Amino acid sequence: MRELVILGTSSQAPTRTRNHNGYFLQWEQEGILLDPGEGTQRQLIHAGLSASKIDRICITHVHGDHCFGLPGVLSRMVLDGVTHPVHVHYPASGEDVVRALVFLATPGLDLHLHPHGAAGPIAPGLEVERLHHRVEALGYRVIEPDGRTFLPDRLAAAGIAGPDVGRLQREGSLGSVRLDDVSVHRAGRRFAFVMDTAPCDGASALADGADLLVTESTFSDDDATLAAQYLHLTAGQAGSLAGHGGAAALVLTHFSSRYDDVGLLAEQARATAGEATVIAASDLDRIPFPARR
């Protein structure tokens, strides 16, 4: 199962209808919590999610709306008796902030802290890219390994069935039949998470080929000067990331409180997003992974 649960969608200051950031990604057997801002523990309850489902926490940067909910979430996991290892990933320059937040939490978790300072793989199926913000920031990519899709008609013509199919997949050939003869390449699914940043190479790399792309959309295109001043994305720039990267679906979030209705931001993103489906997120939305392309 792959599903994204939106726990909060507001930037900097929460509103009456939008909590601070927070996103929970169910990726098969692994639960990944991204950017737990204030109130994330309570939002998990509203979403019907148990904190015990969290295996990994990914923090893009140490501005408070992206990490101040960490102590409460960790404390709740202790209260719930979580015994499995919990891994926390974050930019290396945020070490002091993250350790201070962890210090405030109830002790008792098998907690592993992972500071990162360079782009690349950081755990099985998890990679980071550097973003461009006012403090060091990272974006995250969750990837499934590429695989093969068997073609039933070719298997039948080759006389391969049952356990021999698995053997062919493991060994690459069976007699004179090669794996390439009866199957085609299947690209692994990709989830990308881009928070506070100006347009940059790292954001573009994350968006490339994403099945589900989550990006900040702090400002309207009409407020592009503010976006440039604070190193954030406008809605149109968020859409461009998806369009140029060939993303299948784009989820907009991290909205400034100046926008009561984010429909305008969704329209601006759709104008530049190419074939991507554009969703303006609301708190507690549950967004299924798009169908395989």
Side-chain angles (χ1 to χ4, degrees), residues 97-285:
V97 173
V98 171
R99 287 195 175 273
L101 292 171
V102 169
F103 177 79
L104 294 173
T106 304
L109 282 180
D110 181 9
L111 195 64
H112 301 260
L113 302 183
H114 303 281
H116 304 291
I122 59 172
L126 182 64
E127 302 174 350
V128 295
E129 296 283 351
R130 296 181 64 84
L131 300 178
H132 180 45
H133 194 44
R134 303 191 306 278
V135 297
E136 184 183 21
L138 301 174
Y140 293 86
R141 180 192 296 111
V142 185
I143 56 175
E144 172 191 55
D146 290 354
R148 308 290 302 183
T149 297
F150 282 102
L151 304 174
D153 56 336
R154 295 192 186 179
L155 284 172
I160 296 174
D164 284 342
V165 175
R167 182 181 167 195
L168 174 60
Q169 186 167 23
R170 291 190 302 272
E171 299 179 5
S173 64
L174 195 61
S176 62
V177 179
R178 300 172 304 162
L179 184 60
D180 288 347
D181 296 333
V182 294
S183 67
V184 294
H185 175 264
R186 183 184 69 244
R189 314 301 300 283
R190 293 185 170 216
F191 168 85
F193 188 73
V194 178
M195 281 294 115
D196 298 17
T197 186
C200 64
D201 290 344
S204 296
L206 289 164
D208 186 30
D211 294 281
L212 185 60
L213 170 64
V214 178
T215 74
E216 66 133 311
S217 179
T218 308
F219 292 106
S220 159
D221 291 352
D222 301 324
D223 293 318
T225 301
L226 282 175
Q229 178 181 350
Y230 292 106
L231 299 181
H232 279 290
L233 295 177
T234 67
Q237 289 169 337
S240 290
L241 276 180
H244 288 121
L250 169 65
V251 177
L252 304 175
T253 185
H254 195 272
F255 305 116
S256 168
S257 59
R258 70 183 58 227
Y259 308 113
D260 292 328
D261 180 3
V262 297
L264 171 63
L265 277 68
E267 290 177 10
Q268 292 174 346
R270 289 189 183 103
T272 58
E275 298 299 316
T277 300
V278 176
I279 302 166
S282 295
D283 288 22
L284 306 182
D285 279 353

Side-chain angles (χ1 to χ4, degrees), residues 84-95:
H84 63 254
V86 179
H87 300 270
V88 183
H89 302 274
Y90 53 91
S93 63
E95 178 80 12

